[in-house]
Amino acid sequence: MPANTYTDEFRRRAVELYESTPDTTFQAIANDLGISRGALKTWVTKYGSGQIRATGGLPGDAPPSARPEPQAARIVRLEAENHALRAETRKLAEERDILRQAAKYFGRGDELVNRFQFARDHKDAWGVKRLCEVIGIARSSFYAWVAAAPGRRARAAADAELAARIRPLQDPKQGGDRAYGVPRITADLNEDAAPAERVNRKRVARVMRKFGYAGIRLRRRVRTTIPDQAGRRFPDLIGRDFSAGTPGCRYVGDITYLPLQDGSNLYLASVIDLGSRKLAGWAMADHMRTALVEDALTAAWRERGTLRGAVFHSDHGSVYTSKDYVKLCGQYGVKQSMGAVGSSADNALAESFNAALKRELLEGREAFPDATTAYRAVFRWANRYNTRRRHSAIGNVAPNVYEAAMPDRLGIAA
């Protein structure tokens, strides 16, 4: 693999990302981009403007404190608060009446644990036997519930401790990733844990549900594959075999859209190494012309040093069957491969990559505020994808880690 060299554009983009990200650190950005903290600090000194955003949220979002509250909105808010206070007063009065009629209330169907709790709280006033008769529970069950209290407290404390370990793994400000779900969180927790401290996936899922932690999910679709009916046809050299293996031999790619708030779209072309899941090359533009996929393939060629003998698999989009793209593949020694027309399953890994990118970057939003924000977000995510994001297909490690551990780090097909 060629030595790590960074273009001036990459360095300036890294500096722009650092200066535009609120509440960040040199180390956090350096980790995402796979570079050293010292290098980033040097670049900031050389290329930086010396100004760092102090507001949170996406660039372009005004802080809530900067927007004065209109009079009408203030009246609505105060009325809502007044209504809430009146509701709270009614609730307290209702609770007083319920406690006065506790035997009747708990006896006709409230949750069992509440009946146990009521009996324990009032046993000195009326006695356990009488309370159990009135609220309809067995004394043996009540005493068993009381005896189990230390165990419940211990389990609750253990769950809270595990939740405290999970929280930073989903907090970007602490080096985490909001997109991480149960499998990757479990892998993070167990990576350096002693045998006695390891946790299983089911417990992680239960605790995440209990404390409201979840990965990010997505929606909407825009057509990005425009078939060329008169275009060239290439054989399917992948055959839906997306298994990991030796890097540098098989690649897949696709184009996806990135929606902007003004109603327009940017487009991202990708080149993904099947062997290691590494995003070997990518390009963004405001169009879907052939130059977009050519730039992505050229980026992969620069990253790898060579693509000779490698297979590149795509759909039948006109940009991939164009004369210029076929010529570029021949120049780099790339063998083109395509699945059946209209079958997304034949390029499922690239489709999955596109869905993950938009799900994790938009985080439920409809669109990016502007093109600059979109490019900056993709720049950071793409580098983090290779340096830190875990992939289940390669043992829940990052692509760069997987490649570094291989005896032959780049096995180009002959």
Side-chain angles (χ1 to χ4, degrees), residues 32 65 110 314:
D32 283 355
S65 60
D110 202 84
S314 68

Side-chain angles (χ1 to χ4, degrees), residues 392-413:
S392 57
I394 54 175
N396 263 330
V397 299
N400 284 1
V401 175
Y402 179 80
E403 291 190 357
M406 299 197 70
D408 180 8
R409 293 179 60 185
L410 195 62
I412 299 298

Side-chain angles (χ1 to χ4, degrees), residues 6 11 60 63 99 119 125 176 199 215 230 249 270 285 296-298 300 333 341 384 386 401:
Y6 303 98
R11 296 175 184 179
L99 289 174
V199 292
C249 297
S270 58
L297 188 66
T298 298
V341 175
R384 183 186 178 92
N386 289 332
V401 175

Side-chain angles (χ1 to χ4, degrees), residues 85-100:
L85 288 173
R86 290 197 300 268
E88 184 66 14
T89 301
R90 289 194 299 270
K91 179 180 177 182
L92 291 173
E94 183 181 51
E95 288 177 356
R96 179 196 61 201
D97 295 336
I98 287 172
L99 289 174
R100 288 176 177 174

Side-chain angles (χ1 to χ4, degrees), residues 94-389:
E94 183 181 51
E95 288 177 356
R96 179 196 61 201
D97 295 336
I98 287 172
L99 289 174
R100 288 176 177 174
Q101 301 294 325
K104 185 189 299 185
Y105 177 81
F106 287 111
R108 70 165 181 251
D110 202 84
E111 291 184 6
L112 186 61
V113 66
N114 286 338
R115 284 179 273 162
F116 286 149
Q117 188 69 50
F118 179 82
R120 190 185 72 173
D121 292 345
H122 296 84
K123 62 184 177 64
D124 294 335
W126 290 293
V128 172
K129 181 178 179 180
R130 179 58 180 159
L131 284 171
C132 289
E133 289 174 353
V134 173
I135 64 178
I137 59 175
R139 276 186 290 168
S140 59
S141 298
F142 170 73
Y143 287 123
W145 180 83
V146 171
R152 288 195 301 276
R153 286 194 295 269
R155 285 193 296 274
D159 286 351
E161 180 183 357
L162 181 58
R165 294 168 58 195
I166 292 173
R167 190 178 302 112
L169 300 180
Q170 285 201 321
D171 186 354
K173 293 181 180 179
Q174 300 183 58
D177 193 326
R178 281 190 292 266
Y180 271 25
V182 172
R184 292 188 176 96
I185 290 292
T186 304
D188 267 0
L189 291 170
N190 291 333
E191 184 173 41
D192 299 317
E197 297 176 346
R198 293 178 67 85
V199 292
N200 64 51
R201 179 170 171 169
K202 290 183 179 179
R203 185 183 173 209
V204 172
R206 178 178 60 79
V207 171
M208 289 182 69
R209 282 195 304 271
K210 178 179 178 181
F211 287 85
Y213 301 149
I216 301 166
R217 296 174 175 85
L218 183 75
R219 39 176 181 255
R220 168 181 110 132
R221 189 175 178 83
V222 168
R223 187 185 185 199
T224 53
T225 300
I226 303 174
D228 181 0
Q229 301 300 328
R232 297 164 178 76
R233 296 289 185 268
F234 296 92
D236 186 348
L237 304 179
I238 299 295
R240 298 190 183 181
D241 177 13
F242 302 114
S243 57
T246 303
C249 297
R250 302 183 305 157
Y251 296 86
V252 297
D254 196 10
I255 299 175
T256 191
Y257 74 98
L258 300 172
L260 304 180
Q261 282 185 354
D262 64 4
S264 63
N265 292 311
L266 293 178
Y267 299 93
L268 172 75
S270 58
V271 178
I272 307 162
D273 193 319
L274 277 181
S276 64
R277 299 303 195 259
K278 183 182 179 74
L279 179 59
W282 60 278
M284 279 179 65
D286 59 358
H287 61 80
M288 289 194 297
R289 295 190 290 273
T290 303
L292 176 64
V293 292
E294 288 180 326
D295 288 346
L297 188 66
T298 298
W301 173 75
R302 289 198 188 102
E303 165 66 23
R304 288 311 200 188
T306 180
L307 294 175
R308 187 158 300 282
V311 171
F312 176 74
H313 184 80
S314 68
D315 57 29
H316 282 265
S318 59
V319 290
Y320 291 115
T321 60
S322 67
K323 183 185 301 183
D324 288 341
Y325 191 74
V326 172
K327 180 180 178 181
L328 184 66
C329 287
Q331 178 182 331
Y332 291 151
V334 173
K335 302 174 185 176
Q336 283 189 262
S337 168
M338 293 181 178
V341 175
S343 174
S344 61
D346 287 350
N347 202 18
L349 190 138
E351 297 278 357
S352 176
F353 170 88
N354 293 340
L357 180 144
K358 284 185 283 190
R359 179 179 66 247
E360 297 175 15
L361 288 185
L362 287 171
E363 300 180 0
R365 300 179 183 89
E366 291 290 341
F368 292 98
D370 50 55
T372 300
T373 301
Y375 190 98
R376 186 182 298 132
V378 172
F379 174 73
R380 182 174 189 175
W381 188 89
N383 284 279
R384 183 186 178 92
Y385 185 90
N386 289 332
T387 60
R388 301 186 65 186
R389 191 180 190 278

